[in-house]
Amino acid sequence: MQQKAFGKDGPLVAVIGQGTWPLPDRDALRLGISLGMTHIDTAEMYGEGRSEEIVGEAIRGTPREKLFIVTKVLPHNAHAKGVRRSCERSLKRLGLDFVDCYLLHWRGDVPIEETMAAFERLVDDGLTRSIGVSNFDPWDLNEAAGALATRRLACDQVLYNLAERTVEDHELPWAQTYDCAIVAYTPFGRPPLDTKKKKYGLLGGIAKRHGTSAAAVALAFLTRDRHVFAIPKASRPEHVKANAQAGELELDNEELRAIDAAFPKRRRSGELPSN
Ligand code: NAP
């Protein structure tokens, strides 16, 4: 499994991680961990904490230093006291002393300065190793980064898949300049890619050459930039294995160009989409 630095001076993290919503299958998560997908994304929102509990069960027995665990606070809990309370509850459900990155799930009504200050206190007190955001466009990213006194943003987790590539013109350039990670959620799109459909034939052809699946090719395309990670969610063992293969797959320039042409970027005039 290829690993990349997660943010400026950040730890090396598996480029392909595991999503956990809708509720994950514990054994599928364990299989993913055994295949190197030790980067796991969850949130207090998912199943009102149940997703975090299942992650806690799945990671039991894996050495802590091998894992990169991310969870998120809901916007209405993202005030000074709420952040601490939410993070402590998440840690309890996960069975951990700290998470590797703590994210604001999306921007709400609490002033971003208040949330970022509370996040910095969590780092100071050892409850999280780093700080991130989700569903932030460059405007919001500037505000969040500017509100941090002593830390940096480690990531922005955003919707990014072959049908929704506008991140490449907005959040990714921001991340490249600032040097933080972009984490692609819903990397197979909605509805998820159906490889029997004609438009996915190109991915199938490339996959055949590499002895892998169209899904793995899609993930390898999305994570071609050194800042980008992906967190597919899979319950079926064959899906878990296919996703892990993406972490070993390198596409050549001709293949990247062909995929780029087959799944063109649309122009985005409005907000960063979230589904
Ligand atoms: P996704 O991972 O793109 O798609 C999941 C679907 O794809 C499932 O139906 C799964 O089937 C299928 N699948 C998985 N691997 C496959 C493969 N190799 N080949 C074919 N199909 C495959 O979408 P998602 O679950 O929406 O997003 C992933 C994660 O991102 C979530 O679980 C969550 O952790 C996070 N997320 C974050 C936000 C946010 O606002 N920050 C929003 C949405 C999601 P099976 O389950 O049957 O294997």
Side-chain angles (χ1 to χ4, degrees), residues 6-27:
F6 196 89
K8 192 174 166 62
D9 304 323
L12 290 175
V13 173
V15 60
I16 308 297
Q18 302 192 77
T20 63
W21 182 251
L23 286 182
D25 179 272
R26 192 186 54 193
D27 292 338

Side-chain angles (χ1 to χ4, degrees), residues 19-21 41 46 72 105 134-135 157 185-190 192 215 231-236 239 242-243:
T20 63
W21 182 251
D41 173 75
Y46 300 163
K72 317 183 193 79
H105 209 146
S134 179
N135 299 301
Q157 187 183 119
Y185 74 69
T186 317
F188 296 129
R190 250 184 222 129
I231 45 167
K233 191 241 165 194
S235 331
R236 288 186 242 174
H239 286 166
N243 297 344

Side-chain angles (χ1 to χ4, degrees), residues 18-22 40-43 45-46 51 72 103-106 133-135 157-161 184-190 192-195 213-216 219 231-243 274:
Q18 302 192 77
T20 63
W21 182 251
I40 301 179
D41 173 75
T42 184
M45 184 179 91
Y46 300 163
S51 169
K72 317 183 193 79
L103 313 189
L104 174 58
H105 209 146
W106 64 90
V133 291
S134 179
N135 299 301
Q157 187 183 119
V158 289
L159 178 72
Y160 182 26
N161 54 57
Y185 74 69
T186 317
F188 296 129
R190 250 184 222 129
L193 98 180
D194 177 354
T195 47
S213 64
L219 293 176
I231 45 167
K233 191 241 165 194
S235 331
R236 288 186 242 174
E238 64 271 24
H239 286 166
V240 176
K241 288 178 194 160
N243 297 344
S274 58

Side-chain angles (χ1 to χ4, degrees), residues 98-133:
F98 66 90
V99 286
D100 296 278
C101 197
Y102 198 57
L103 313 189
L104 174 58
H105 209 146
W106 64 90
R107 193 166 180 177
D109 294 334
V110 178
I112 200 69
E113 295 75 14
E114 183 174 341
T115 304
M116 291 297 122
F119 276 22
E120 288 191 299
R121 283 194 292 277
L122 293 182
V123 180
D124 292 341
D125 295 345
L127 277 66
T128 182
R129 290 263 160 95
S130 63
I131 292 167
V133 291

